[in-house]
Amino acid sequence: DAKTTQPTSMDCAEGRAANLPCNHSTISGNEYVYWYRQIHSQGPQYIIHGLKNNETNEMASLIITEDRKSSTLILPHATLRDTAVYYCIVRALAGNMLTFGGGTRLMVKP
Amino acid sequence: DAGITQSPRHKVTETGTPVTLRCHQTENHRYMYWYRQDPGHGLRLIHYSYGVKDTDKGEVSDGYSVSRSKTEDFLLTLESATSSQTSVYFCAISEGDRGEKLFFGSGTQLSVL
């Protein structure tokens, strides 16, 4: 599975959009981009995933560049409860192992 | 929230003792996983199961064994606990073999003294 690179930490003002980048320059054609988050002391929570088209659900939007070498997770109106570690994972759809790296620690501030 | 229960939530044990952690699901999902989380290492897969009595190793399986005798239960056993196995253990489930959506339990904090 392709390796991902994320900033270690980011801050965001409450009510503003949080844009979390992820680089995955070695991604191959059959690999999806997944995002999970982990709020302190809880298990990780699935957010969204996509292959090449932009995706949106009730939690977030996922923007994948045309060359698929990077992506951005967007939380449109961040709240204090969005403070968490966000993991970007790249993995082929077939296969059962998700590899979690260090992630980005997002701090939403009042 | 997915119906996943991990027990115990916290455990303190001594080096050399056996320890069993339990993961119970009410979702009837086929796939179940055990991860451990340590500072600086993120989450690492220990073992997973793709059906009753069907299990396979993950990236950090040494020192651990698993069993799945029923769809709803996945047990993780440390035959002889060591201090390096002090960690937070998470169970996860997924519906299909693609695993794109994992649902995690609340974790078990294990301390081996």
Side-chain angles (χ1 to χ4, degrees), chain A residues 20-102:
Chain A
L20 292 92
C22 180
N23 285 321
H24 31 79
S25 58
T26 60
I27 192 170
S28 59
N30 67 339
E31 289 182 316
Y32 284 65
V33 180
Y34 299 82
W35 284 85
Y36 282 74
R37 74 179 182 182
Q38 187 173 22
I39 296 170
H40 181 63
S41 299
Q42 300 181 19
Q45 176 189 24
Y46 167 84
I47 301 173
I48 198 167
H49 76 284
L51 182 63
K52 55 183 178 181
N53 297 321
N54 298 336
E55 302 286 345
T56 295
N57 63 20
E58 65 278 5
M59 290 183 68
S61 295
L62 174 60
I63 308 298
I64 303 174
T65 58
E66 190 169 345
D67 63 7
R68 302 208 323 121
K69 293 185 177 182
S70 65
S71 60
T72 301
L73 179 75
I74 300 173
L75 309 178
H77 305 286
T79 70
L80 298 180
R81 289 179 294 179
D82 292 320
T83 292
V85 177
Y86 288 77
Y87 298 97
C88 170
I89 303 163
V90 172
R91 200 211 63 177
L93 193 57
N96 301 308
M97 289 184 281
L98 283 174
T99 301
F100 289 77

Side-chain angles (χ1 to χ4, degrees), chain B residues 5-43:
Chain B
T5 304
Q6 291 186 233
S7 58
R9 291 296 312 278
H10 303 273
K11 185 169 181 67
V12 179
T13 191
E14 294 185 349
T15 299
T17 60
V19 176
T20 296
L21 308 183
R22 179 179 183 241
C23 179
H24 178 78
Q25 62 148 328
T26 58
E27 306 296 321
N28 201 35
H29 283 0
R30 180 180 172 191
Y31 287 79
M32 299 185 76
Y33 313 80
W34 277 107
Y35 285 85
R36 62 177 288 176
Q37 186 170 35
D38 306 289
H41 291 278
L43 282 125

Side-chain angles (χ1 to χ4, degrees), chain B residues 10 20 35 42 44-45 50 58 77 79 83 88 92-93 101 110:
Chain B
H10 303 273
T20 296
Y35 285 85
R44 294 180 290 175
L45 182 67
Y50 46 97
T77 298
E79 300 291 347
S83 58
V88 180
I93 64 174
K101 292 184 184 180
L110 176 67

